[in-house]
Amino acid sequence: MRRPSLRTGVRWKISIAIAAVGALIAVALSLVVHNAARVSMLENAREVQLERLTYAQLLYEARGAKKADPRFGAKLNDPTMPQSLREETRRNRRATHVDDSGDVPDVWAAVPVGNGNVLSLHTRFADRSLTIMGDLDRALLIGSVSVVLGGSALGVLIGGQLSRRLRKAATAAGKVAQGNTDVRVRDAVGGVVRDETDELAGAVDALTDALNERIEAERRVTADIAHELRTPVTGLLTAAELLPPGRPTELVRDRAQAMRTLVEDVLEVARLDSASERAELQEIALGEFVSRRVALLDPEVRVRVVHESWVNTDPRRLERILGNLLGNAAKHGSTPVEVTVEGRVVRVRDHGPGFPAALLREGPSRFRTGATDRAGHGHGLGLTIAAGQARVLGARLTFRNAAPEGAAAGDGGAVAVLWLPEHAPTDTGSYPMLQFAEQRSPEAEDGTRAKRGG
């Protein structure tokens, strides 16, 4: 089972990455600045506390230990004095201590004054210092949020620019894939500043040029070979007509005719590949035209006109498409073969095993039929020519199987659907691209009616 994937744009990925990095940097800097400011203020409080204690010690010693009480809030042998200060004064040292366990730090200072007495001073951390720390924390918070928002906005701008370039490249590459070899991905991307997108576009253009050169070389070789074969094959067919009647003569004529048909088909494929073919347009009633042509091609095929429609198309090429589809159904399918005309849509269905998976996945391919027995079953050019002629008409030829995998054999069959365009191709061969909605198409509705017996 295919796992669901979450699709996100490049701009949002870049924006999230920049915002995350900015947030980490802002938090780290805020913590460093906060701790540095707090340590600096506590050290300053220690120094101030020690200076006050020094003045208190001087007054205490000047007035005499027995005649004076400590000043400036100092106490003699304070029982609440921290143990760390007691140990330092026992070593005859001045010391300070900060108790940071509460909401407001307590600042202590102690000094020995003789006879084992200790003079100490205890005050709370200044309110003004707490106010300064609070203001600093708010400023750091506002700055961090600003950095994150600014980084996100910058990420959206940078990512949006990159995303637009990539989308332009993807759109141009899609046009190339549809056969518009004149489209250059590098030109579609544009821009003054070069980056990796331009390298990707250049690589796609180079790949397109190499493929076009190879396809053109193969087309020329195929056309040249078929053209060179036409004269000797025609001579062979003429010579076969002069042979005396008999079974060997019939076999020679049959094989010579098959070779001539193959050569003509190869030449037609080469002309279609060169994109030089142009449609000769006429206004025709599609249902009437298909009914008459199918009756001439194969009288046993049933034709059903659901809805008549007038179309501007090339009758000769349309007849060629119908003939190839019916020939393919006769060779690889089973009777009955049905042709349905509904508006501008023509369907050809047989009741055989259906199209092979490779054809449904990749489309028709020359010299590949998908049959297990290739002898006498064609060369895979019929559907290739039909698809090429459909492109000249500005139409779309699709292939599907009537029944899903695992269905009963009697419910199967191959279905070829020709979608004629609303607007005919122009004299230059260009035509509006057909757009098919994801909604219920006429093909799906026809399949629903077939299941209901209609």
Side-chain angles (χ1 to χ4, degrees):
M1 185 178 66
R2 185 177 180 182
R3 296 181 179 179
S5 59
L6 179 62
R7 185 178 183 274
T8 58
V10 174
R11 67 167 65 186
W12 301 116
K13 291 180 180 178
I14 295 178
S15 177
I16 292 173
I18 294 179
V21 173
L24 290 176
I25 295 176
V27 170
L29 289 178
S30 298
L31 291 176
V32 170
V33 172
H34 174 84
N35 290 331
R38 190 171 185 278
V39 169
S40 177
M41 288 186 175
L42 290 176
E43 290 297 327
N44 184 64
R46 287 172 181 266
E47 295 178 359
V48 171
Q49 192 80 328
L50 194 57
E51 290 179 359
R52 290 177 179 176
L53 183 60
T54 301
Y55 290 133
Q57 179 188 3
L58 293 176
L59 291 176
Y60 177 79
E61 292 178 347
R63 300 180 61 184
K66 295 182 181 181
K67 298 179 179 179
D69 295 328
R71 300 295 181 90
F72 301 110
K75 295 182 179 180
L76 190 64
N77 299 325
D78 190 349
T80 62
M81 186 173 57
Q83 184 63 30
S84 60
L85 290 180
R86 295 181 185 275
E87 293 178 356
E88 292 294 327
T89 54
R90 287 173 187 167
R91 299 172 186 172
N92 200 26
R93 295 178 181 175
R94 295 185 178 185
T96 58
H97 175 79
V98 176
D99 186 1
D100 201 9
S101 59
D103 295 336
V104 180
D106 293 328
V107 183
W108 289 80
V111 60
V113 292
N115 299 325
N117 296 323
V118 176
L119 189 64
S120 62
L121 183 61
H122 170 220
T123 58
R124 308 296 297 274
F125 197 62
D127 294 338
R128 182 171 177 273
S129 299
L130 292 175
T131 302
I132 293 175
M133 288 298 299
D135 294 339
L136 177 62
D137 291 340
R138 282 191 294 271
L140 291 175
L141 178 60
I142 294 174
S144 300
V145 173
S146 301
V147 169
V148 173
L149 294 179
S152 300
L154 181 62
V156 170
L157 292 176
I158 297 176
Q161 180 68 18
L162 179 59
S163 178
R164 282 191 296 271
R165 291 168 64 83
L166 290 176
R167 290 182 185 277
K168 290 180 180 178
T171 302
K175 293 180 180 179
V176 173
Q178 294 175 357
N180 299 329
T181 55
D182 295 335
V183 176
R184 309 299 295 176
V185 180
R186 177 64 188 87
D187 296 337
V189 171
V192 179
V193 180
R194 297 294 184 92
D195 55 16
E196 288 79 0
T197 308
D198 298 273
E199 297 179 6
L200 175 62
V204 174
D205 289 338
L207 177 62
T208 302
D209 293 338
L211 289 177
N212 288 336
E213 291 177 1
R214 182 172 179 178
I215 292 174
E216 180 63 21
E218 292 179 353
R219 187 195 64 79
R220 286 198 301 267
V221 170
T222 302
D224 292 343
I225 293 176
H227 188 272
E228 294 297 327
L229 285 176
R230 173 185 279 181
T231 301
V233 168
T234 302
L236 179 62
L237 189 61
T238 302
E241 296 293 335
L242 302 177
L243 294 176
R247 179 60 179 167
T249 299
E250 293 179 1
L251 293 177
V252 171
R253 290 175 180 174
D254 179 67
R255 292 297 90 190
Q257 183 61 41
M259 184 175 296
R260 180 178 181 178
T261 301
L262 174 61
V263 171
E264 295 296 333
D265 287 347
V266 171
L267 283 173
E268 185 173 358
V269 170
R271 289 194 300 269
L272 292 173
D273 287 344
S274 66
S276 60
E277 296 288 283
R278 295 293 179 265
E280 299 178 1
L281 305 178
Q282 295 182 24
E283 192 80 14
I284 62 173
L286 184 60
E288 180 185 355
F289 176 85
V290 171
S291 299
R292 288 190 287 106
R293 291 298 186 269
V294 171
L296 294 176
L297 295 171
D298 191 347
E300 296 182 0
V301 175
R302 295 182 298 181
V303 180
R304 184 167 64 99
V305 180
V306 179
H307 174 64
E308 182 63 278
S309 176
W310 286 84
V311 296
N312 195 19
T313 188
D314 189 329
R316 180 180 64 84
R317 298 184 188 277
L318 180 57
E319 182 177 0
R320 177 67 160 149
I321 295 173
L322 290 173
N324 285 12
L325 293 180
L326 293 176
N328 181 79
K331 291 179 182 178
H332 304 288
S334 299
T335 57
V337 179
E338 303 170 350
V339 178
T340 305
V341 180
E342 185 173 357
R344 298 176 179 273
V345 181
V346 180
R347 297 180 183 83
V348 178
R349 176 183 177 179
D350 61 56
H351 289 75
F355 291 117
L359 186 144
L360 296 177
R361 183 176 60 254
E362 304 172 5
S365 178
R366 64 198 68 175
F367 302 109
R368 185 179 67 183
T369 63
T372 55
D373 180 14
R374 300 185 65 86
H377 285 276
H379 302 276
L381 296 178
L383 294 182
T384 302
I385 293 174
Q389 295 289 5
R391 285 194 298 270
V392 176
L393 296 179
R396 181 186 179 192
L397 184 60
T398 61
F399 306 93
R400 66 177 179 86
N401 290 329
E405 297 182 1
D411 298 332
V415 181
V417 185
L418 178 66
W419 309 75
L420 291 173
E422 182 178 358
H423 302 282
T426 63
D427 294 336
T428 61
S430 62
Y431 53 87
M433 295 299 296
L434 292 176
Q435 300 293 336
F436 297 95
E438 297 293 336
Q439 312 167 14
R440 294 183 61 82
S441 62
E443 181 180 349
E445 296 177 359
D446 182 68
T448 303
R449 288 194 292 269
K451 291 181 179 179
R452 295 178 179 173

